[in-house]
Amino acid sequence: MKSPDRPTDLDINRTGIFLSPLDGPATVEAARQSRPTSPGTEQELAELRRQFAEEAHPIGHMPPPLAVRAVLQEFKGLIHGHRYGVLLDKLGERLAFERTGVRLFDALIVKLEAQDTWDGGPTLETLVEFRGDEANHFTLIHEVLVHLGADPTVVTPSADLVGVESLGLLQTIADPRTTLAQSLHAQMIAELVDAAGWDQLCMLAGVVDQQPLAARFRAAHAQEVHHRDTVIAWLNRHAELAALGELKYSA
Amino acid sequence: MSLDLFHERGTPLRRQVFSWKELAPEPISKLDDDAFTRVRLILMHGVEQDACRFKHVLSRGIHPDLRLSLAAIRRVEHHQATLINWMQPADQSLLETTIGYEQTAIEVTAYVARVEPDPYIAQVHRFGLLEDFDHLYRFAALMDRVEGKDANAILQSYTDISPGRATAVEHRAPADDLRRWYDRERAAPLTKIHAALLAGSEYQTRDFYLTVGPTFADPVARQLYAEIASIEEQHVTQYQAISDPDETWLEKWLVHEAMEAYAYWSCVAYERNPRVKAIWERFLDYELEHLRIAREIFEQVEGRDPASVIPTSLPDPLDFVSHRKFVRQVLAREVDLRTSGAEFVPLSAESKASLVYRTHMNRDGSPSEAVAAGYRWAPGTELTSLLIPAASTQLFKRASGA
């Protein structure tokens, strides 16, 4: 964004009604005088949703292990109850999220190069380092899945949903019109989710008696907490500089 | 100011070329641009989609010698449609775009209905208008109650958000959606142009709802899109029925090209965003050349004067302004109109076939009624009813400095 133009500059924004002195009140008056064609409240909609929720089937399921017999022998403890399915679903979720995370940082790096940073903001080196962390986490989960006899290319139900959840993040960061700070706000959501996701994986590995896994996951969790706190600090600093009028226009 | 359809020179077809970068330009701003800029983008994307659709069908049954001419123009029109549609921004959700589609249908149909010289055809347009007006209200309720957003941020107060002819009673048997057609010999040129314009616009809306409807997770949204897409199919049936079936295909092509030039010319007249205006000016020049080629082919193949089919000039552009007053008048007088075959009749005289059809379609409940049960739009969504009642008045006063 090379033009001397910032989203927080005061300019024309036509979305609000109260700056339309003639059309605004007319629209309000038309609605006030109208009569709904059926009685009730939003509860009607809630009732329909409830009916569908009761009748709905899951969005999909977990596949069986690649080599059932080998897995049965090697990971006897994991087969009890739903341990295998739950653990692998969540591993699939983190795998998918980390893979997308690499691409989010790719886009952030481009945005940093095209725009500018600020005092106390991200540097290219830090973004490249964080991208590397995401890639390493992806590799870690990939190795664990193969070790557990699972197909790492499977889209598990939780992996599918985390992809849906991330759509807005990608839309925000990939849009060339958004600033680096606006993009980092989306990345902050990713890091908050990532830190919580790794925390849950650590807990789950303990629950299914996979202590060596839990130890490896804790290291990844620490890195994600560092990402999260760093991104929050960058954004707070940006807001502070912008509010004080000390932000360079290119940032 | 008038548009001379026979003497204005266009851009030669060989120079109507694009690059991929041109086809994916920086979009308009959802927040800052005027709502009518979005309306024009939606309208003209629909017009170009219909131009491509029409020429594909025409190519199937026409002499092979003409296929190249049609393919060459169609390729340009495909890219015109692309560029126009790619002006829509990525931060505009599908539901927000839907609100824009309904605003386009309402404001453009209202203009057409107001100036249409044929009384019966004007009634057809007013009938469709009240139905699209209701769709806007239903989608606004959906946006409010499912996404927690205010549809007026898209509409920018140009268009009222209140019930029209209730969507639940718009479902009719096919025989009750057919209409009488204009007489190609006697109809005013604008009547033909209006028919082509609205048929294309409704077709686009039908296709859009069918495409995006299943992308919604919410079950009520999925049902509502299915329900309203069905009405848009009825509207396409209605609007294409008013064109004279005795027009030759080349006559229809001439009318379509004249309509496209007229619509671009209108966009040029009203556009305030300079970047978008440059697109309208460029494409008006493209259309004038498409029309010249169509005239030439018409003369060669049918041995007739194109001026016997389309006017040599058009007097006034379509106006892109709020038609609030006209819509309210039509709503007050005609909300209870129904149809029996091609005739518009009072509520009590509606065709039995439609009543039977509607009962069947609504037998498991009506999504359009459920989503808007007790719904009354308010600025900032219906949750603002939790605020003090006079808050709106105070804000308007403060904004006006009173």
PDB file of all heavy atoms in Angstrom, chain B residues 67-99:
ATOM      1  N   ARG B  67     -21.519 -18.576 -36.949  1.00  0.00           N
ATOM      2  CA  ARG B  67     -21.034 -19.016 -35.633  1.00  0.00           C
ATOM      3  C   ARG B  67     -19.755 -18.282 -35.214  1.00  0.00           C
ATOM      4  O   ARG B  67     -19.562 -18.000 -34.036  1.00  0.00           O
ATOM      5  CB  ARG B  67     -20.819 -20.531 -35.616  1.00  0.00           C
ATOM      6  CG  ARG B  67     -22.141 -21.276 -35.538  1.00  0.00           C
ATOM      7  CD  ARG B  67     -21.942 -22.762 -35.432  1.00  0.00           C
ATOM      8  NE  ARG B  67     -23.221 -23.412 -35.135  1.00  0.00           N
ATOM      9  CZ  ARG B  67     -23.396 -24.717 -35.156  1.00  0.00           C
ATOM     10  NH1 ARG B  67     -22.388 -25.511 -35.440  1.00  0.00           N
ATOM     11  NH2 ARG B  67     -24.581 -25.228 -34.861  1.00  0.00           N
ATOM     12  N   LEU B  68     -18.900 -17.983 -36.179  1.00  0.00           N
ATOM     13  CA  LEU B  68     -17.650 -17.303 -35.814  1.00  0.00           C
ATOM     14  C   LEU B  68     -17.931 -15.896 -35.291  1.00  0.00           C
ATOM     15  O   LEU B  68     -17.348 -15.466 -34.287  1.00  0.00           O
ATOM     16  CB  LEU B  68     -16.684 -17.256 -37.012  1.00  0.00           C
ATOM     17  CG  LEU B  68     -15.374 -16.519 -36.729  1.00  0.00           C
ATOM     18  CD1 LEU B  68     -14.631 -17.127 -35.538  1.00  0.00           C
ATOM     19  CD2 LEU B  68     -14.471 -16.501 -37.963  1.00  0.00           C
ATOM     20  N   SER B  69     -18.824 -15.187 -35.983  1.00  0.00           N
ATOM     21  CA  SER B  69     -19.162 -13.830 -35.516  1.00  0.00           C
ATOM     22  C   SER B  69     -19.701 -13.883 -34.099  1.00  0.00           C
ATOM     23  O   SER B  69     -19.322 -13.074 -33.230  1.00  0.00           O
ATOM     24  CB  SER B  69     -20.210 -13.194 -36.430  1.00  0.00           C
ATOM     25  OG  SER B  69     -19.676 -13.002 -37.701  1.00  0.00           O
ATOM     26  N   LEU B  70     -20.589 -14.827 -33.852  1.00  0.00           N
ATOM     27  CA  LEU B  70     -21.174 -14.938 -32.511  1.00  0.00           C
ATOM     28  C   LEU B  70     -20.105 -15.300 -31.482  1.00  0.00           C
ATOM     29  O   LEU B  70     -20.067 -14.746 -30.380  1.00  0.00           O
ATOM     30  CB  LEU B  70     -22.279 -16.005 -32.506  1.00  0.00           C
ATOM     31  CG  LEU B  70     -23.570 -15.622 -33.237  1.00  0.00           C
ATOM     32  CD1 LEU B  70     -24.487 -16.829 -33.354  1.00  0.00           C
ATOM     33  CD2 LEU B  70     -24.285 -14.485 -32.521  1.00  0.00           C
ATOM     34  N   ALA B  71     -19.228 -16.240 -31.858  1.00  0.00           N
ATOM     35  CA  ALA B  71     -18.187 -16.674 -30.907  1.00  0.00           C
ATOM     36  C   ALA B  71     -17.237 -15.527 -30.586  1.00  0.00           C
ATOM     37  O   ALA B  71     -16.806 -15.360 -29.433  1.00  0.00           O
ATOM     38  CB  ALA B  71     -17.422 -17.861 -31.478  1.00  0.00           C
ATOM     39  N   ALA B  72     -16.913 -14.720 -31.600  1.00  0.00           N
ATOM     40  CA  ALA B  72     -15.963 -13.619 -31.387  1.00  0.00           C
ATOM     41  C   ALA B  72     -16.551 -12.571 -30.448  1.00  0.00           C
ATOM     42  O   ALA B  72     -15.873 -12.100 -29.524  1.00  0.00           O
ATOM     43  CB  ALA B  72     -15.599 -12.998 -32.722  1.00  0.00           C
ATOM     44  N   ILE B  73     -17.808 -12.224 -30.668  1.00  0.00           N
ATOM     45  CA  ILE B  73     -18.433 -11.226 -29.784  1.00  0.00           C
ATOM     46  C   ILE B  73     -18.636 -11.821 -28.388  1.00  0.00           C
ATOM     47  O   ILE B  73     -18.422 -11.169 -27.370  1.00  0.00           O
ATOM     48  CB  ILE B  73     -19.780 -10.758 -30.374  1.00  0.00           C
ATOM     49  CG1 ILE B  73     -19.545 -10.026 -31.696  1.00  0.00           C
ATOM     50  CG2 ILE B  73     -20.530  -9.856 -29.394  1.00  0.00           C
ATOM     51  CD1 ILE B  73     -20.814  -9.622 -32.412  1.00  0.00           C
ATOM     52  N   ARG B  74     -19.042 -13.081 -28.374  1.00  0.00           N
ATOM     53  CA  ARG B  74     -19.310 -13.737 -27.084  1.00  0.00           C
ATOM     54  C   ARG B  74     -18.048 -13.804 -26.219  1.00  0.00           C
ATOM     55  O   ARG B  74     -18.109 -13.649 -24.999  1.00  0.00           O
ATOM     56  CB  ARG B  74     -19.866 -15.137 -27.336  1.00  0.00           C
ATOM     57  CG  ARG B  74     -20.593 -15.745 -26.155  1.00  0.00           C
ATOM     58  CD  ARG B  74     -21.294 -17.020 -26.567  1.00  0.00           C
ATOM     59  NE  ARG B  74     -20.367 -17.958 -27.171  1.00  0.00           N
ATOM     60  CZ  ARG B  74     -20.615 -18.643 -28.297  1.00  0.00           C
ATOM     61  NH1 ARG B  74     -21.761 -18.523 -28.933  1.00  0.00           N
ATOM     62  NH2 ARG B  74     -19.715 -19.479 -28.783  1.00  0.00           N
ATOM     63  N   ARG B  75     -16.887 -14.027 -26.859  1.00  0.00           N
ATOM     64  CA  ARG B  75     -15.659 -14.083 -26.090  1.00  0.00           C
ATOM     65  C   ARG B  75     -15.397 -12.745 -25.380  1.00  0.00           C
ATOM     66  O   ARG B  75     -15.038 -12.699 -24.215  1.00  0.00           O
ATOM     67  CB  ARG B  75     -14.482 -14.416 -27.009  1.00  0.00           C
ATOM     68  CG  ARG B  75     -13.122 -14.491 -26.306  1.00  0.00           C
ATOM     69  CD  ARG B  75     -13.062 -15.655 -25.337  1.00  0.00           C
ATOM     70  NE  ARG B  75     -13.411 -16.895 -25.989  1.00  0.00           N
ATOM     71  CZ  ARG B  75     -12.561 -17.671 -26.686  1.00  0.00           C
ATOM     72  NH1 ARG B  75     -11.297 -17.318 -26.787  1.00  0.00           N
ATOM     73  NH2 ARG B  75     -12.971 -18.791 -27.245  1.00  0.00           N
ATOM     74  N   VAL B  76     -15.650 -11.663 -26.110  1.00  0.00           N
ATOM     75  CA  VAL B  76     -15.478 -10.339 -25.494  1.00  0.00           C
ATOM     76  C   VAL B  76     -16.487 -10.164 -24.362  1.00  0.00           C
ATOM     77  O   VAL B  76     -16.146  -9.694 -23.261  1.00  0.00           O
ATOM     78  CB  VAL B  76     -15.656  -9.223 -26.547  1.00  0.00           C
ATOM     79  CG1 VAL B  76     -15.614  -7.848 -25.877  1.00  0.00           C
ATOM     80  CG2 VAL B  76     -14.581  -9.321 -27.627  1.00  0.00           C
ATOM     81  N   GLU B  77     -17.726 -10.573 -24.618  1.00  0.00           N
ATOM     82  CA  GLU B  77     -18.762 -10.395 -23.581  1.00  0.00           C
ATOM     83  C   GLU B  77     -18.466 -11.228 -22.337  1.00  0.00           C
ATOM     84  O   GLU B  77     -18.749 -10.802 -21.211  1.00  0.00           O
ATOM     85  CB  GLU B  77     -20.135 -10.748 -24.164  1.00  0.00           C
ATOM     86  CG  GLU B  77     -20.596  -9.675 -25.151  1.00  0.00           C
ATOM     87  CD  GLU B  77     -21.843 -10.031 -25.907  1.00  0.00           C
ATOM     88  OE1 GLU B  77     -22.092 -11.245 -26.120  1.00  0.00           O
ATOM     89  OE2 GLU B  77     -22.582  -9.106 -26.287  1.00  0.00           O
ATOM     90  N   HIS B  78     -17.900 -12.398 -22.555  1.00  0.00           N
ATOM     91  CA  HIS B  78     -17.511 -13.216 -21.408  1.00  0.00           C
ATOM     92  C   HIS B  78     -16.493 -12.457 -20.552  1.00  0.00           C
ATOM     93  O   HIS B  78     -16.586 -12.435 -19.319  1.00  0.00           O
ATOM     94  CB  HIS B  78     -16.909 -14.541 -21.888  1.00  0.00           C
ATOM     95  CG  HIS B  78     -16.310 -15.351 -20.791  1.00  0.00           C
ATOM     96  ND1 HIS B  78     -17.045 -16.221 -20.020  1.00  0.00           N
ATOM     97  CD2 HIS B  78     -15.045 -15.386 -20.289  1.00  0.00           C
ATOM     98  CE1 HIS B  78     -16.255 -16.755 -19.103  1.00  0.00           C
ATOM     99  NE2 HIS B  78     -15.044 -16.277 -19.242  1.00  0.00           N
ATOM    100  N   HIS B  79     -15.547 -11.824 -21.210  1.00  0.00           N
ATOM    101  CA  HIS B  79     -14.524 -11.099 -20.450  1.00  0.00           C
ATOM    102  C   HIS B  79     -15.077  -9.804 -19.860  1.00  0.00           C
ATOM    103  O   HIS B  79     -14.650  -9.386 -18.786  1.00  0.00           O
ATOM    104  CB  HIS B  79     -13.310 -10.839 -21.349  1.00  0.00           C
ATOM    105  CG  HIS B  79     -12.536 -12.084 -21.660  1.00  0.00           C
ATOM    106  ND1 HIS B  79     -11.932 -12.337 -22.862  1.00  0.00           N
ATOM    107  CD2 HIS B  79     -12.306 -13.198 -20.896  1.00  0.00           C
ATOM    108  CE1 HIS B  79     -11.343 -13.522 -22.821  1.00  0.00           C
ATOM    109  NE2 HIS B  79     -11.557 -14.071 -21.638  1.00  0.00           N
ATOM    110  N   GLN B  80     -16.032  -9.202 -20.529  1.00  0.00           N
ATOM    111  CA  GLN B  80     -16.702  -8.039 -19.925  1.00  0.00           C
ATOM    112  C   GLN B  80     -17.393  -8.465 -18.631  1.00  0.00           C
ATOM    113  O   GLN B  80     -17.296  -7.786 -17.606  1.00  0.00           O
ATOM    114  CB  GLN B  80     -17.746  -7.457 -20.897  1.00  0.00           C
ATOM    115  CG  GLN B  80     -17.146  -6.719 -22.085  1.00  0.00           C
ATOM    116  CD  GLN B  80     -18.231  -6.263 -23.054  1.00  0.00           C
ATOM    117  OE1 GLN B  80     -18.584  -6.978 -23.986  1.00  0.00           O
ATOM    118  NE2 GLN B  80     -18.767  -5.085 -22.842  1.00  0.00           N
ATOM    119  N   ALA B  81     -18.105  -9.594 -18.705  1.00  0.00           N
ATOM    120  CA  ALA B  81     -18.798 -10.103 -17.513  1.00  0.00           C
ATOM    121  C   ALA B  81     -17.804 -10.383 -16.392  1.00  0.00           C
ATOM    122  O   ALA B  81     -18.041 -10.065 -15.221  1.00  0.00           O
ATOM    123  CB  ALA B  81     -19.581 -11.380 -17.856  1.00  0.00           C
ATOM    124  N   THR B  82     -16.659 -10.947 -16.769  1.00  0.00           N
ATOM    125  CA  THR B  82     -15.643 -11.278 -15.771  1.00  0.00           C
ATOM    126  C   THR B  82     -15.135 -10.021 -15.074  1.00  0.00           C
ATOM    127  O   THR B  82     -15.143  -9.929 -13.840  1.00  0.00           O
ATOM    128  CB  THR B  82     -14.454 -12.002 -16.442  1.00  0.00           C
ATOM    129  OG1 THR B  82     -14.948 -13.091 -17.212  1.00  0.00           O
ATOM    130  CG2 THR B  82     -13.476 -12.523 -15.407  1.00  0.00           C
ATOM    131  N   LEU B  83     -14.726  -9.063 -15.880  1.00  0.00           N
ATOM    132  CA  LEU B  83     -14.143  -7.843 -15.306  1.00  0.00           C
ATOM    133  C   LEU B  83     -15.165  -7.155 -14.376  1.00  0.00           C
ATOM    134  O   LEU B  83     -14.824  -6.731 -13.270  1.00  0.00           O
ATOM    135  CB  LEU B  83     -13.710  -6.908 -16.427  1.00  0.00           C
ATOM    136  CG  LEU B  83     -12.789  -5.749 -16.054  1.00  0.00           C
ATOM    137  CD1 LEU B  83     -12.028  -5.253 -17.292  1.00  0.00           C
ATOM    138  CD2 LEU B  83     -13.516  -4.572 -15.432  1.00  0.00           C
ATOM    139  N   ILE B  84     -16.396  -7.084 -14.842  1.00  0.00           N
ATOM    140  CA  ILE B  84     -17.426  -6.398 -14.046  1.00  0.00           C
ATOM    141  C   ILE B  84     -17.646  -7.131 -12.716  1.00  0.00           C
ATOM    142  O   ILE B  84     -17.686  -6.523 -11.644  1.00  0.00           O
ATOM    143  CB  ILE B  84     -18.746  -6.318 -14.847  1.00  0.00           C
ATOM    144  CG1 ILE B  84     -18.586  -5.382 -16.043  1.00  0.00           C
ATOM    145  CG2 ILE B  84     -19.899  -5.859 -13.952  1.00  0.00           C
ATOM    146  CD1 ILE B  84     -19.703  -5.483 -17.054  1.00  0.00           C
ATOM    147  N   ASN B  85     -17.751  -8.435 -12.782  1.00  0.00           N
ATOM    148  CA  ASN B  85     -18.042  -9.196 -11.559  1.00  0.00           C
ATOM    149  C   ASN B  85     -16.851  -9.194 -10.605  1.00  0.00           C
ATOM    150  O   ASN B  85     -17.030  -9.245  -9.385  1.00  0.00           O
ATOM    151  CB  ASN B  85     -18.425 -10.638 -11.918  1.00  0.00           C
ATOM    152  CG  ASN B  85     -19.303 -11.264 -10.855  1.00  0.00           C
ATOM    153  OD1 ASN B  85     -20.052 -10.574 -10.173  1.00  0.00           O
ATOM    154  ND2 ASN B  85     -19.207 -12.574 -10.700  1.00  0.00           N
ATOM    155  N   TRP B  86     -15.654  -9.097 -11.190  1.00  0.00           N
ATOM    156  CA  TRP B  86     -14.451  -9.107 -10.343  1.00  0.00           C
ATOM    157  C   TRP B  86     -14.253  -7.758  -9.627  1.00  0.00           C
ATOM    158  O   TRP B  86     -13.368  -7.619  -8.811  1.00  0.00           O
ATOM    159  CB  TRP B  86     -13.223  -9.458 -11.189  1.00  0.00           C
ATOM    160  CG  TRP B  86     -12.780 -10.887 -11.121  1.00  0.00           C
ATOM    161  CD1 TRP B  86     -11.538 -11.326 -10.769  1.00  0.00           C
ATOM    162  CD2 TRP B  86     -13.536 -12.076 -11.416  1.00  0.00           C
ATOM    163  NE1 TRP B  86     -11.495 -12.708 -10.816  1.00  0.00           N
ATOM    164  CE2 TRP B  86     -12.694 -13.190 -11.211  1.00  0.00           C
ATOM    165  CE3 TRP B  86     -14.847 -12.326 -11.834  1.00  0.00           C
ATOM    166  CZ2 TRP B  86     -13.111 -14.509 -11.398  1.00  0.00           C
ATOM    167  CZ3 TRP B  86     -15.267 -13.625 -12.030  1.00  0.00           C
ATOM    168  CH2 TRP B  86     -14.411 -14.691 -11.812  1.00  0.00           C
ATOM    169  N   MET B  87     -15.103  -6.791  -9.945  1.00  0.00           N
ATOM    170  CA  MET B  87     -15.068  -5.518  -9.214  1.00  0.00           C
ATOM    171  C   MET B  87     -15.725  -5.658  -7.842  1.00  0.00           C
ATOM    172  O   MET B  87     -15.670  -4.743  -7.026  1.00  0.00           O
ATOM    173  CB  MET B  87     -15.780  -4.415 -10.000  1.00  0.00           C
ATOM    174  CG  MET B  87     -15.060  -3.956 -11.259  1.00  0.00           C
ATOM    175  SD  MET B  87     -13.428  -3.289 -10.922  1.00  0.00           S
ATOM    176  CE  MET B  87     -13.844  -1.748 -10.110  1.00  0.00           C
ATOM    177  N   GLN B  88     -16.408  -6.778  -7.591  1.00  0.00           N
ATOM    178  CA  GLN B  88     -17.017  -6.997  -6.272  1.00  0.00           C
ATOM    179  C   GLN B  88     -15.908  -7.381  -5.276  1.00  0.00           C
ATOM    180  O   GLN B  88     -15.066  -8.217  -5.588  1.00  0.00           O
ATOM    181  CB  GLN B  88     -18.053  -8.130  -6.320  1.00  0.00           C
ATOM    182  CG  GLN B  88     -19.212  -7.886  -7.277  1.00  0.00           C
ATOM    183  CD  GLN B  88     -20.189  -6.831  -6.793  1.00  0.00           C
ATOM    184  OE1 GLN B  88     -20.069  -6.308  -5.691  1.00  0.00           O
ATOM    185  NE2 GLN B  88     -21.154  -6.492  -7.637  1.00  0.00           N
ATOM    186  N   PRO B  89     -15.908  -6.775  -4.100  1.00  0.00           N
ATOM    187  CA  PRO B  89     -14.789  -6.999  -3.172  1.00  0.00           C
ATOM    188  C   PRO B  89     -14.909  -8.305  -2.386  1.00  0.00           C
ATOM    189  O   PRO B  89     -16.013  -8.806  -2.153  1.00  0.00           O
ATOM    190  CB  PRO B  89     -14.897  -5.801  -2.222  1.00  0.00           C
ATOM    191  CG  PRO B  89     -16.347  -5.437  -2.235  1.00  0.00           C
ATOM    192  CD  PRO B  89     -16.884  -5.796  -3.589  1.00  0.00           C
ATOM    193  N   ALA B  90     -13.746  -8.806  -1.952  1.00  0.00           N
ATOM    194  CA  ALA B  90     -13.704 -10.094  -1.256  1.00  0.00           C
ATOM    195  C   ALA B  90     -14.260 -10.005   0.164  1.00  0.00           C
ATOM    196  O   ALA B  90     -14.613 -11.030   0.752  1.00  0.00           O
ATOM    197  CB  ALA B  90     -12.265 -10.610  -1.217  1.00  0.00           C
ATOM    198  N   ASP B  91     -14.332  -8.797   0.729  1.00  0.00           N
ATOM    199  CA  ASP B  91     -14.889  -8.674   2.081  1.00  0.00           C
ATOM    200  C   ASP B  91     -16.413  -8.562   2.046  1.00  0.00           C
ATOM    201  O   ASP B  91     -17.038  -8.366   3.092  1.00  0.00           O
ATOM    202  CB  ASP B  91     -14.279  -7.479   2.826  1.00  0.00           C
ATOM    203  CG  ASP B  91     -14.430  -6.174   2.073  1.00  0.00           C
ATOM    204  OD1 ASP B  91     -14.437  -6.205   0.833  1.00  0.00           O
ATOM    205  OD2 ASP B  91     -14.541  -5.116   2.719  1.00  0.00           O
ATOM    206  N   GLN B  92     -17.000  -8.677   0.881  1.00  0.00           N
ATOM    207  CA  GLN B  92     -18.463  -8.659   0.750  1.00  0.00           C
ATOM    208  C   GLN B  92     -18.944 -10.110   0.772  1.00  0.00           C
ATOM    209  O   GLN B  92     -18.651 -10.877  -0.137  1.00  0.00           O
ATOM    210  CB  GLN B  92     -18.823  -7.982  -0.569  1.00  0.00           C
ATOM    211  CG  GLN B  92     -20.286  -7.689  -0.770  1.00  0.00           C
ATOM    212  CD  GLN B  92     -20.458  -6.824  -2.006  1.00  0.00           C
ATOM    213  OE1 GLN B  92     -20.212  -5.626  -1.975  1.00  0.00           O
ATOM    214  NE2 GLN B  92     -20.846  -7.431  -3.110  1.00  0.00           N
ATOM    215  N   SER B  93     -19.671 -10.472   1.825  1.00  0.00           N
ATOM    216  CA  SER B  93     -20.095 -11.874   1.960  1.00  0.00           C
ATOM    217  C   SER B  93     -21.157 -12.205   0.917  1.00  0.00           C
ATOM    218  O   SER B  93     -21.749 -11.317   0.289  1.00  0.00           O
ATOM    219  CB  SER B  93     -20.654 -12.110   3.366  1.00  0.00           C
ATOM    220  OG  SER B  93     -21.929 -11.506   3.480  1.00  0.00           O
ATOM    221  N   LEU B  94     -21.417 -13.480   0.769  1.00  0.00           N
ATOM    222  CA  LEU B  94     -22.438 -13.911  -0.198  1.00  0.00           C
ATOM    223  C   LEU B  94     -23.803 -13.338   0.169  1.00  0.00           C
ATOM    224  O   LEU B  94     -24.587 -12.961  -0.701  1.00  0.00           O
ATOM    225  CB  LEU B  94     -22.502 -15.441  -0.239  1.00  0.00           C
ATOM    226  CG  LEU B  94     -21.243 -16.127  -0.777  1.00  0.00           C
ATOM    227  CD1 LEU B  94     -21.344 -17.637  -0.634  1.00  0.00           C
ATOM    228  CD2 LEU B  94     -21.025 -15.751  -2.243  1.00  0.00           C
ATOM    229  N   LEU B  95     -24.090 -13.264   1.460  1.00  0.00           N
ATOM    230  CA  LEU B  95     -25.379 -12.716   1.874  1.00  0.00           C
ATOM    231  C   LEU B  95     -25.433 -11.206   1.624  1.00  0.00           C
ATOM    232  O   LEU B  95     -26.472 -10.656   1.239  1.00  0.00           O
ATOM    233  CB  LEU B  95     -25.641 -13.052   3.357  1.00  0.00           C
ATOM    234  CG  LEU B  95     -27.026 -12.742   3.915  1.00  0.00           C
ATOM    235  CD1 LEU B  95     -28.156 -13.164   2.992  1.00  0.00           C
ATOM    236  CD2 LEU B  95     -27.199 -13.408   5.285  1.00  0.00           C
ATOM    237  N   GLU B  96     -24.311 -10.534   1.817  1.00  0.00           N
ATOM    238  CA  GLU B  96     -24.272  -9.101   1.508  1.00  0.00           C
ATOM    239  C   GLU B  96     -24.457  -8.871   0.010  1.00  0.00           C
ATOM    240  O   GLU B  96     -25.170  -7.950  -0.411  1.00  0.00           O
ATOM    241  CB  GLU B  96     -22.949  -8.496   1.996  1.00  0.00           C
ATOM    242  CG  GLU B  96     -22.903  -8.360   3.514  1.00  0.00           C
ATOM    243  CD  GLU B  96     -21.529  -7.989   4.045  1.00  0.00           C
ATOM    244  OE1 GLU B  96     -20.509  -8.342   3.415  1.00  0.00           O
ATOM    245  OE2 GLU B  96     -21.471  -7.357   5.112  1.00  0.00           O
ATOM    246  N   THR B  97     -23.824  -9.714  -0.798  1.00  0.00           N
ATOM    247  CA  THR B  97     -24.014  -9.608  -2.251  1.00  0.00           C
ATOM    248  C   THR B  97     -25.473  -9.873  -2.602  1.00  0.00           C
ATOM    249  O   THR B  97     -26.046  -9.220  -3.480  1.00  0.00           O
ATOM    250  CB  THR B  97     -23.087 -10.595  -2.976  1.00  0.00           C
ATOM    251  OG1 THR B  97     -21.738 -10.308  -2.599  1.00  0.00           O
ATOM    252  CG2 THR B  97     -23.206 -10.476  -4.482  1.00  0.00           C
ATOM    253  N   THR B  98     -26.082 -10.810  -1.899  1.00  0.00           N
ATOM    254  CA  THR B  98     -27.498 -11.114  -2.120  1.00  0.00           C
ATOM    255  C   THR B  98     -28.363  -9.881  -1.862  1.00  0.00           C
ATOM    256  O   THR B  98     -29.286  -9.581  -2.635  1.00  0.00           O
ATOM    257  CB  THR B  98     -27.935 -12.264  -1.182  1.00  0.00           C
ATOM    258  OG1 THR B  98     -27.155 -13.422  -1.510  1.00  0.00           O
ATOM    259  CG2 THR B  98     -29.403 -12.567  -1.313  1.00  0.00           C
ATOM    260  N   ILE B  99     -28.064  -9.166  -0.798  1.00  0.00           N
ATOM    261  CA  ILE B  99     -28.802  -7.931  -0.500  1.00  0.00           C
ATOM    262  C   ILE B  99     -28.646  -6.952  -1.673  1.00  0.00           C
ATOM    263  O   ILE B  99     -29.603  -6.304  -2.105  1.00  0.00           O
ATOM    264  CB  ILE B  99     -28.284  -7.298   0.818  1.00  0.00           C
ATOM    265  CG1 ILE B  99     -28.565  -8.226   2.028  1.00  0.00           C
ATOM    266  CG2 ILE B  99     -28.886  -5.909   1.046  1.00  0.00           C
ATOM    267  CD1 ILE B  99     -30.008  -8.432   2.371  1.00  0.00           C
TER     268      ILE B  99
END
